[in-house]
Amino acid sequence: MTDIKEILDRLGIKPVNNGISTGQINWAGKGAVIESFSPVDGQKIAEVAAAERSDYEQIIEKSTAAFKVWKLIPAPKRGEIVRQMGDELRKFKSELGTLVSYEMGKSLQEGLGEVQEMIDICDFAVGLSRQLYGLSMHSERPQHRMYEQWHPIGVVGIISAFNFPVAVWSWNAMLAWVCGDVCVWKPSEKTPLTALACQHIIETVLKNNEVPEGVSCILTGGRECGEWLANDPKIALVSATGSTPMGRSVGEAVARRLGRSLLELGGNNAIIVTPSADLNVAVPGIVFGAVGTAGQRCTSTRRIIVQEDIYEEVKKRLVKAYAQLCIGNPLETHNHVGPLIDKSAVKQYQETVRKVKEAGGTFIVMPEILSGEGYESGCYVAPCVAEVANSYAIVQHETFAPILYLIKYRDLDEAIEIQNDVPQGLSSAIFTLNMRESEQFLSQSGSDCGIANVNIGTSGAEIGGAFGGEKETGGGRESGSDAWKAYMRRQTNTINYGTALPLAQGIKFEIG
């Protein structure tokens, strides 16, 4: 395996007295120690100092000052700086992807893919920097021109989760930067080193362009750091990715001060498999969706809803496919599944298995906590599959683990009803070769999720489309399409170039 210390050194992170040194990069703090352990082998990678309140205040002061400069730089020039960020990420794709894999536990291919996603969003943002369009409208008043324009909103707080430790941050940051905002990033305390590595790369680019360092700041720490962002009126937008309870807390705090929040929360994603489905395509899509990132994606496939006539065939194929999975060190490319993030996640896996059994579920692929050589970290579990009813309380709940629920249906109306009958509404999919079935699934009477796919799985979204979901998923949209509008404020402008003052709606007001 690649020496992780060598990787850290290439990324500008140097161990110093059991802590770390990252040169001049702008990050806080001076508080309690956060230890970063790898779930791959259980080894401590490094220690990082968490932020204290005084660190936070300095960061916000620096960010606020930087915004006054950054917002005045023309958007295409901001885009050019983001282009350079993308080029730097290309240079360090291998190192950063390896660190993502080692610190978080996802497969090396997925770690490299996550860095590629960052590069892709940089490319998207560069083009966007010349397309921050407003509309022109015809005025009802003569010799008047009416249009709208978009302006930066200020300091954007980004709270990211451990499962995508760098990509989701980049979805927000790259768009916010070309929109003229500055960013304060609170990464997961479970993956601080990947965040520091990204910050080092970004700050190098900012420094080379003589841009104030406060354009990009990082805030290391736990829940309290997120609460500072949520409650601070100086933070124009808080973008939070994580669990529904976390998002509810952030949303309530931001709403109390009439701020903006962008919430990307839990998913309980289902795939419907119809009798016309090509099972040679469907089964790999199901399995990747269920076991990729060890089931720790918000878009991971949790439920498979299978028509009763093909139910036994699908079940047989799933059992055969799961038997072929290789579980182990994610840096070894032959392994399909790596570890869960930590032992707390393993306990959640165990508790969910217990509740499934108590509710009456039957496992057709058995759960197991793996031990022995190669599993010393205690974070490895076997992906499992259980036959259940959608009404089980535990099935309504999102568990971040590779546990797949198998559910039977009679007709498509019932299948869609089952799919929608959960509190979350992030991603969904149907495997069918029947055009009517696919169109019904995508219609207003079909999936109620923010993402609805046909003949692909629930995970693996591209950056070109807006990403997000409904209901308890939070309603936020990130990444592509017109998601950029969340990071700007709309202003409607009307200009009178005539010699009279006609009023709207024909109102007459005469004086003198």
Side-chain angles (χ1 to χ4, degrees), residues 402-443:
I403 301 173
L404 181 64
Y405 301 124
L406 194 57
I407 303 166
K408 188 182 296 184
Y409 80 89
R410 292 183 301 275
D411 58 44
L412 187 57
D413 288 338
E414 181 190 15
I416 292 172
E417 183 178 350
I418 291 170
Q419 191 231 262
N420 293 343
D421 189 23
V422 291
Q424 309 85 357
L426 179 52
S427 188
S428 59
I430 187 171
F431 279 90
T432 178
L433 299 181
N434 183 309
M435 184 183 72
R436 289 178 176 174
E437 289 178 338
S438 65
E439 290 298 326
Q440 180 179 346
F441 177 75
L442 299 175
S443 74

Side-chain angles (χ1 to χ4, degrees), residues 59-72 78 150-158 172-173 175-185 214-217 229 232-239 257 260 484-490:
I59 285 289
I60 299 308
E61 182 179 353
K62 190 172 293 187
S63 298
T64 302
F67 173 62
K68 295 177 181 178
V69 176
W70 182 248
K71 70 178 180 179
L72 297 179
R78 297 193 296 258
W150 296 82
H151 296 299
I153 56 173
V155 182
V156 173
I158 304 170
N172 286 273
L175 267 61
W177 284 331
V178 297
C179 289
D181 303 320
V182 299
C183 298
V184 176
W185 179 17
V215 168
S216 178
C217 296
L229 290 169
D232 192 343
K234 299 185 187 71
I235 307 299
L237 169 69
V238 177
S239 176
R257 61 177 177 83
R260 292 196 203 179
W484 62 269
K485 293 180 179 179
Y487 307 91
M488 305 197 82
R489 60 182 177 87
R490 187 197 312 249

Side-chain angles (χ1 to χ4, degrees), residues 177-430:
W177 284 331
V178 297
C179 289
D181 303 320
V182 299
C183 298
V184 176
W185 179 17
K186 185 246 174 272
S188 170
E189 58 272 33
K190 297 180 181 181
T191 52
L193 294 181
T194 49
L196 290 170
C198 288
Q199 175 68 8
H200 183 72
I201 291 169
I202 297 307
E203 190 168 77
T204 299
V205 174
L206 296 177
K207 184 177 180 180
N208 290 342
N209 285 273
E210 300 181 345
V211 173
E213 63 176 2
V215 168
S216 178
C217 296
I218 192 166
L219 188 68
T220 52
R223 176 179 179 139
E224 68 281 355
C225 293
E227 291 174 345
W228 296 339
L229 290 169
N231 287 289
D232 192 343
K234 299 185 187 71
I235 307 299
L237 169 69
V238 177
S239 176
T241 302
S243 70
T244 295
M246 180 278 291
R248 185 175 286 114
S249 176
V250 168
E252 289 174 354
V254 174
R256 276 195 299 271
R257 61 177 177 83
L258 299 180
R260 292 196 203 179
S261 59
L262 193 165
L263 304 177
E264 293 287 357
L265 311 175
N268 196 344
N269 316 296
I271 294 177
I272 296 171
V273 185
T274 77
S276 73
D278 182 344
L279 296 185
N280 293 327
V281 175
V283 171
I286 292 167
V287 177
F288 175 75
V291 309
T293 322
Q296 296 174 114
R297 295 184 178 210
C298 54
T299 54
S300 289
T301 305
R302 308 289 178 199
R303 298 172 296 142
I304 302 298
I305 305 166
V306 184
Q307 205 276 334
E308 59 187 7
D309 293 341
I310 60 169
Y311 184 84
E312 292 301 325
E313 175 64 19
V314 170
K315 183 167 73 169
K316 181 177 71 174
R317 290 191 182 216
L318 285 176
V319 171
K320 181 179 179 181
Y322 269 66
Q324 300 173 50
L325 293 175
C326 295
I327 308 165
N329 188 327
L331 294 173
E332 296 176 3
T333 56
H334 68 276
N335 286 323
H336 302 103
V337 184
L340 294 177
I341 184 65
D342 54 25
K343 292 180 181 178
S344 176
V346 174
K347 289 180 181 178
Q348 292 178 1
Y349 169 91
Q350 291 176 298
E351 182 66 9
T352 297
V353 167
R354 182 185 67 80
K355 290 182 178 180
V356 169
K357 292 178 178 178
E358 284 184 353
T362 302
F363 281 93
I364 61 171
V365 177
M366 299 305 295
E368 183 183 359
I369 310 298
L370 303 179
S371 59
E373 185 178 355
Y375 304 130
E376 290 86 357
S377 70
C379 297
Y380 290 86
V381 302
C384 56
V385 182
E387 295 180 281
V388 301
N390 199 66
S391 58
Y392 292 177
I394 190 60
V395 176
Q396 297 282 310
H397 174 77
E398 179 191 41
T399 300
F400 247 40
I403 301 173
L404 181 64
Y405 301 124
L406 194 57
I407 303 166
K408 188 182 296 184
Y409 80 89
R410 292 183 301 275
D411 58 44
L412 187 57
D413 288 338
E414 181 190 15
I416 292 172
E417 183 178 350
I418 291 170
Q419 191 231 262
N420 293 343
D421 189 23
V422 291
Q424 309 85 357
L426 179 52
S427 188
S428 59
I430 187 171

Side-chain angles (χ1 to χ4, degrees), residues 452-499:
N453 298 328
V454 176
N455 293 328
I456 62 171
T458 59
S459 62
E462 299 179 29
I463 59 94
F467 180 91
E470 304 302 324
K471 301 189 292 188
E472 288 192 0
T473 301
R477 292 297 185 274
E478 296 172 328
S479 192
S481 186
D482 64 350
W484 62 269
K485 293 180 179 179
Y487 307 91
M488 305 197 82
R489 60 182 177 87
R490 187 197 312 249
Q491 184 181 78
T492 302
N493 308 112
T494 308
I495 300 169
N496 178 1
Y497 58 90
T499 57

